[in-house]
Amino acid sequence: MVARVVPVDPFDLVVFGATGDLARRKLIPALYHRMHDGQMPEDARIVGVARAQLDAEGYRRMAEAALDEFGGEDARDAEMRRKFLATIDYVPLDVMEEAGWSRLKDALPTACGDRPRAFYLSVAPRFFGPIAEGVHAAGLTDANSRIVIEKPLGHDLASAAALNGVFAGHFSEHQIFRIDHYLGKETVQNLMALRFANAFFEPLWNARHIDHVQITVAEKVGVEGRGPYYDGIGAMRDMVQNHLLQLLCLVAMEPPSQFEPDAVRDEKLKVLRALAPLTRLEDVVRGQYAAGPGMPSYVEDANAPTSRTETFIALKAEVANWRWAGVPFYLRTGKRMKSRVSEVAVVFKSAPHSIFPAASGRAAQNVLALRLQPDEAITLGMTIKEPGPGGMRLAPAVLDMTFADTLGASNMRMPDAYERLVMDVIRGDQTLFMRGDEVEAAWAWVDAITARVDGERPELYEPGSAGPDDALMLMHRDGRRWRELAQ
Ligand code: NAD
């Protein structure tokens, strides 16, 4: 099956940081796939901007190498490659130097006209202000322009508010696209489809029927070369403030009146504002990975011998409103863990009374699991009768609700989140992007926690484990347990 695509209008996309990792690994392949699938028109234009003194031909060679490395099967189509590379231009520009901006002006018409013009800031945040200022001063912005940024969006509430202020000086809120690429994942959007397009989940989606929610983002890798960036930041700021809280919002939000950007974001904001302050220190567990066989510890990786930065964090959060009163949301994320898995698990309460004799076995709690990584999938854990004539024996069964086969899509390439998100930028659809007030509300909750725990010594954990023992205790204390991290 070929996915249905609606072509977007011709556009100009200016990628600042075009020679960097994000641009080569994600953006260039994403744009190629959108053209390959018939969504990006041939008269769209991509203008790469970076410091490297390349000409357009030199940058096209770099883009081609990125397609070889990260573009997969579809990128072998020679004719499509030729068409795609023809859309690419390049401008060498140091954004900190005023002199270079005229070269970008030469590459773009002054007015956007009816072509949407997006500035994608695939650069370190210290360049966000100068670029917002630069494109504005060069007269390259108007009502049809938009700006795209991505984490880190500040490191606390004050810096996030300052960043929002920088952009607000030159763009209105509907022109600012703050990416959290988790929101571009198919499964995350499916969570909204499941909740709001089916009648039978929503009546159960509350404290009466849901026992707890677990959100896990586990990585196998350590900080690798990112040590200098990561040290002093840690898992709370790097992962919880954005990805995990965004997932929590989508589970916990009230049904918006429409699937429309501000209606959805208003509901997410209400969830963030309803997060109860964490008052019990035992509800926060911070860990740091120790050395393992052939693997350096975090402090060796980061070359920071006395560092107290956490590479793992587990939290018990609570959404203090009528729907969720008393339902814990357990969050955990860490590096150098047993496996790479991102998952949301909604664990329902047990049936109120068992009619079956003890010999039949116990019914497991129903679990709706949404897996984002490594393979996207949605499953519902059920209890059924064990097939056969052996009497009434209860057995667990997992319903695969991914439905790729039902839709004839099992052979379809799963589009990367960036493909969806970049096209949404061009369409001007902000539903899957964070609004400035959401980012600030998330920081406000995180800041209150980091103010209490930063500087405490994190508990060391074995690489390849499920994190520190105290994280297991966090749930054991409540008579619950984390879901297994598969190998
Ligand atoms: P990178 O270091 O690989 O690339 C940075 C780019 O910025 C390069 O193209 C470089 O030429 C350009 N640059 C640096 N100084 C410049 C200047 N003065 N003028 C013009 N261009 C300049 O970084 P990256 O990994 O691509 O990440 C870019 C941003 O995106 C960072 O803020 C990062 O935190 C964020 N991010 C990256 C990823 C990822 O997967 N790499 C994921 C999420 C967010």
Side-chain angles (χ1 to χ4, degrees):
M1 179 181 122
V2 177
R4 271 177 295 155
V5 292
V6 180
V8 297
D9 292 335
F11 60 87
D12 292 330
L13 174 67
V14 183
V15 180
F16 288 92
T19 59
D21 174 71
L22 179 63
R24 288 181 298 111
R25 204 160 43 82
K26 292 290 184 185
L27 301 181
I28 293 293
L31 289 158
Y32 173 86
H33 285 302
R34 289 301 84 217
M35 182 179 255
H36 184 270
D37 290 356
Q39 195 168 28
M40 170 174 148
E42 287 176 28
D43 53 352
R45 213 142 45 110
I46 301 165
V47 182
V49 177
R51 266 184 317 187
Q53 291 299 322
L54 296 168
D55 58 12
E57 202 40 55
Y59 184 67
R60 282 184 207 124
R61 277 195 295 275
M62 184 181 274
E64 211 168 359
L67 290 179
D68 286 338
E69 199 173 349
F70 307 112
E73 218 19 55
D74 288 350
R76 303 227 174 100
D77 182 337
E79 177 59 13
M80 188 54 64
R81 260 182 192 240
R82 192 193 54 71
K83 282 189 198 158
F84 176 70
L85 294 171
T87 65
I88 295 182
D89 195 1
Y90 180 79
V91 174
L93 161 61
D94 184 331
V95 299
M96 302 306 273
E97 287 175 9
E98 220 170 286
W101 286 95
S102 59
R103 283 197 293 277
L104 185 57
K105 260 173 105 163
D106 293 343
L108 287 167
T110 309
C112 303
D114 54 8
R115 285 170 79 93
R117 177 179 295 170
F119 300 102
Y120 199 121
L121 276 46
S122 181
V123 292
R126 68 178 181 284
F127 299 120
F128 287 178
I131 294 175
E133 179 60 41
V135 292
H136 178 74
L140 296 173
T141 57
D142 63 23
N144 214 2
S145 55
R146 46 212 74 169
I147 196 145
V148 188
I149 52 174
E150 186 162 353
K151 78 169 192 184
L153 301 178
H155 51 86
D156 58 13
L157 174 57
S159 54
L163 193 59
N164 281 339
V166 163
F167 290 111
H170 301 299
F171 295 89
S172 34
E173 184 60 37
H174 75 271
Q175 296 176 290
I176 306 169
F177 287 73
R178 297 178 190 79
I179 287 190
D180 186 318
H181 70 270
Y182 276 50
L183 299 184
K185 297 217 173 254
E186 198 75 9
T187 305
V188 173
Q189 295 165 59
N190 231 331
L191 169 59
M192 289 191 272
L194 280 180
R195 279 193 64 189
F196 304 130
N198 296 286
F200 66 88
F201 279 113
E202 211 44 33
L204 302 179
W205 209 260
N206 55 49
R208 226 165 347 134
H209 300 286
I210 291 179
D211 180 68
H212 71 278
V213 176
Q214 297 186 24
I215 302 179
T216 297
V217 178
E219 296 175 276
K220 254 181 130 159
V221 294
V223 291
E224 320 300 347
R226 286 179 75 220
Y229 160 76
Y230 193 85
D231 201 53
I233 300 284
M236 184 71 166
R237 294 181 177 85
D238 189 41
M239 299 298 288
V240 175
Q241 186 274 342
N242 37 63
H243 307 314
L244 278 85
L245 287 186
Q246 285 294 318
L247 295 175
L248 182 151
C249 282
L250 295 177
V251 174
M253 72 182 184
E254 295 299 315
S257 59
Q258 301 164 53
F259 191 60
E260 185 269 317
D262 278 329
V264 171
R265 298 181 311 168
D266 286 347
E267 295 306 336
K268 283 162 60 196
L269 179 64
K270 284 185 211 162
V271 172
L272 291 165
R273 291 192 172 151
L275 282 170
L278 286 194
T279 50
R280 292 158 22 123
L281 278 183
E282 62 266 35
D283 288 344
V284 184
V285 178
R286 295 165 72 247
Q288 192 185 75
Y289 61 81
M295 279 185 285
S297 65
Y298 169 73
V299 291
E300 288 163 327
D301 262 348
N303 197 18
T306 58
S307 175
R308 293 187 170 187
T309 298
E310 82 283 356
T311 60
F312 172 97
I313 193 159
L315 304 158
K316 179 180 169 183
E318 188 195 337
V319 180
N321 62 19
W322 274 48
R323 184 188 284 264
W324 296 112
V327 179
F329 284 73
Y330 299 98
L331 315 180
R332 65 175 166 169
T333 179
K335 295 189 181 293
R336 278 280 159 78
M337 293 181 67
K338 185 173 169 190
S339 54
R340 172 174 174 257
V341 57
S342 301
E343 182 193 79
V344 176
V346 179
V347 182
F348 288 84
K349 289 190 169 158
S350 302
H353 164 71
S354 175
I355 64 168
F356 303 107
S360 301
R362 273 169 57 107
Q365 285 170 289
N366 298 121
V367 180
L368 177 67
L370 300 114
R371 196 172 66 222
L372 284 68
Q373 276 169 346
D375 308 308
E376 299 204 40
I378 302 176
T379 57
L380 182 59
M382 308 282 290
T383 297
I384 58 165
K385 176 191 168 297
E386 202 176 271
M392 176 56 82
R393 288 222 186 78
L394 301 178
V398 173
L399 277 185
D400 185 343
M401 301 180 47
T402 312
F403 298 128
D405 288 337
T406 319
L407 298 176
S410 49
N411 294 325
M412 203 174 90
R413 184 185 64 84
M414 191 63 95
D416 187 77
Y418 284 92
E419 295 181 40
R420 162 82 198 231
L421 294 174
V422 173
M423 290 298 105
D424 279 356
V425 170
I426 302 305
R427 282 189 287 252
D429 183 344
Q430 291 186 307
T431 311
L432 301 176
F433 296 79
M434 294 177 292
R435 210 167 51 193
D437 50 6
E438 274 183 80
V439 175
E440 292 185 22
W443 276 121
W445 186 74
V446 164
D447 278 3
I449 300 167
T450 51
R452 296 185 63 181
V453 300
D454 266 4
E456 301 283 325
R457 193 184 293 282
E459 192 181 331
L460 291 179
Y461 61 94
E462 294 294 317
S465 69
D469 291 344
D470 278 357
L472 306 182
M473 280 309 298
L474 178 74
M475 290 198 74
H476 283 188
R477 263 202 312 273
D478 295 345
R480 302 185 176 104
R481 56 196 304 175
W482 293 105
R483 283 163 58 80
E484 275 298 309
L485 293 174
Q487 274 300 350

